[in-house]
Amino acid sequence: MPDLTSNFGSMVFGDRAMRERLPEDAYASLHRTIADGRSLNITLANTIADAMKVWAIELGATHYTHWFQPMTGITAEKHESFITPDDKGGAMVSFSGSALIRGESDASSFPSGGLRATFEARGYTAWDPTSYAFIKDNTLCIPTAFCSYGGEALDKKTPLMRSMETLNKQALRILRLFGDDTVKRVHATVGAEQEYFLIDKTLFDRRSDLILTGRTLFGARPPKGQELDDHYYGAIKPRVKAFMSEVNEQLWKLGISSKTEHNEAAPSQYELAPVFTTVNIAADQNQLTMEILKKTALRLNFVCVLHEKPFEGVNGSGKHVNWSLMTDSGQNLLNPGDTPCENIQFLLFLSAIIRAVDDYQDLLRISVAGAGNDCRLGRSEAPPAIISMFLGDELTGILNALESGNVPLHAETGRLETRVHVLPKLPRDSTDRNRTSPFAFTGNKFEFRMPGSSVSIAEPNIMINTIVAESLSVFADRMEADLARGETLSGSVSAIVIATIREHRRILFNGNNYSADWVREAENRGLLNLPSAADAIPCLISEKNIGLFTRHRVFSEAELRSRYEILLDDYCKKLNIEALTIAHMIKKELLPAGVMYLREVSETAVNLKELGLLNGESVELITAAKLSRLCRETELKIDALRLQIELSHAQTSTLGTAQFVKDKIIPAMSELRRAADTLEAELPDRCIPYPTYEQLLFSE
Ligand code: ADP
Ligand code: MG
């Protein structure tokens, strides 16, 4: 039997490679540095760099790069050769500790949202030793954070790591109050399920909307969509199977344990789920996974489409972020546990999350906001743009009982006075799942279902880490004060849990999030509903949120304002490209096809008339009249959209442009789409110069 595990992690300079190749003291010292969250000294860095270089060259690497995650949402790399000329006209192999831990990069071509104006154009990259180096395309990739010379974060990794720090600090305060002196670190664990579409490349290449915007901007609905549910979990077709095998092989070599794969609900849609790991590593791995999906697809003449809503009328693609809290001793803090003490600790962490999600609905919404995800949220099996939490009936029942005083936490022992003294084991099987909830408790973790398929999971995790750290810090303050006054631990925790339920009950919702009733009820409850990124993003720089991020040192105010600018700018640019593309494609391809068919039909009508066979009810005459009207309508809608595009360019601020895009451009695009789809539906296939929905979705 071939050994499936033999190549696992073979391209990663991970723990195994380090243990094998580093001198014992260097290995131990690196471990200590990582565990304490300190930075590397140069002697140690030199030793590691040396071992890493030899390892990488043995595996065929010729170059190295600092691999980082600028605000574009994808990764960036600048390759340097291991070989440098020596002074004797030859060459030598070199890779120093300083080259490992720090690199320089011109920051001026990456989005900085105004930070560049205030700070230097140069940026630097710094190794994150908690994320292992790996080899990709004969290049040693060193995962790094990317900052300006003033230390301002220009990337997604830096704030993610800062949010891990604050979360660790506040969670440790709580654990200490519970009398735990052994845990040294708490980190968030994350498993990100990735959905994607595979489209035949020959077809993909014939649609400029797919090429330029990653999605179809129009197209008449095929007679069949996903109503039969015959794709979901269906048998995987051979070419797709070959794709998945190749993807897995590469992911495994990179130490990414891709675990499950299956057909998703929409035709041509699939999902891949890795085994969870520490959040910053999970974020790196997800970026790599997306890259490998795309590259591998091309080798098999597919295009892997990661857009959130490539096709109207069928499901879009998300990226469920499964999030939990884990101690360095391997304890999952969101596991309800078996003992009363574990139970009240669990209830406290749960309360912290409830409070966080309710108080910072806006930040969770912003963390998934973008032009692509706006098309997905609230439609075809995607959660709406309203944040709520699902806890399941059992847990909700326990919280309600606590709140109403029916099941008091026993003051001395900390016991929940139920008959069994501990929380019942919560079922983890899928029957207790609410798949419509944006933020669902799934037994020992939360599943955040709003993130879109194309984005970095750093954003949502920065938010979750920081808002939970905030709740924990407020709770820790309160517990410290309670205990100082002589209150018991369980008395203090009990009061906090009860107060949390009373104050934040509105965020708990176990019902159907897809229903129209929920939208009304959420409004009555005073929950935020921000369907458009243009409305959500401005909340990022509210006083409340600036206070939160500066208090926890995750973002400075300047960094936050820069991110606000980048997000809005990205939204406007993407929609501008979409608007230009839809107008162009319909004008150049669909309309001429319509006119050509109109000519064909009219000519037939003229011929029939000459033969004396035409009358008022002739199909040729009716069709010609209809086509003529539809073409005219489509033409008018193109003009209307183009006018709005012109006007949008006259806006003077990014926020003004974003609002204009939302209020004028998007409705004009929808109207054009409606006209175009009606026209397309009238045309015979042979006249349509680009692949239709039917061909795209059902050809494989
Ligand atoms: P389920 O079947 O309950 O959804 P899975 O094992 O399929 O559970 O989990 C889905 C995703 O959640 C996977 O990526 C998995 O690694 C991840 N996951 C499981 N446990 C945790 C955890 N404690 N923290 C973070 N993610 C987790
Ligand atoms: Mg899931």
Side-chain angles (χ1 to χ4, degrees), residues 11 59-64 77 79 134-141 250 254 288 291-292 295 299:
M11 290 299 185
L59 287 165
T62 53
H63 289 71
Y64 68 91
E77 34 196 85
H79 295 188
F134 56 90
I135 298 173
K136 174 173 70 79
D137 304 330
N138 297 328
T139 302
L140 170 68
C141 299
Q250 292 181 67
L254 289 169
L288 269 176
E291 188 180 324
I292 286 171
K295 278 191 183 157
R299 277 203 291 275

Side-chain angles (χ1 to χ4, degrees), residues 193 271 320 322 433 435 447 449:
E193 300 162 55
E271 181 187 295
H320 298 168
N322 294 272
R433 292 287 179 79
R435 298 201 171 271
E447 185 173 3
R449 297 202 179 94

Side-chain angles (χ1 to χ4, degrees), residues 43 148 217 246 304 317 381 387 402 508 531 561 597 625 635 656:
T43 325
S148 76
L217 296 169
E246 205 174 307
C304 174
S317 300
E381 298 184 35
I387 306 279
L402 273 173
L508 303 179
R561 289 190 184 280
Y597 186 51
E635 174 78 33

Side-chain angles (χ1 to χ4, degrees), residues 82-93:
F82 279 124
I83 294 182
T84 42
D86 64 15
D87 48 12
K88 299 183 195 67
M92 58 181 197
V93 172

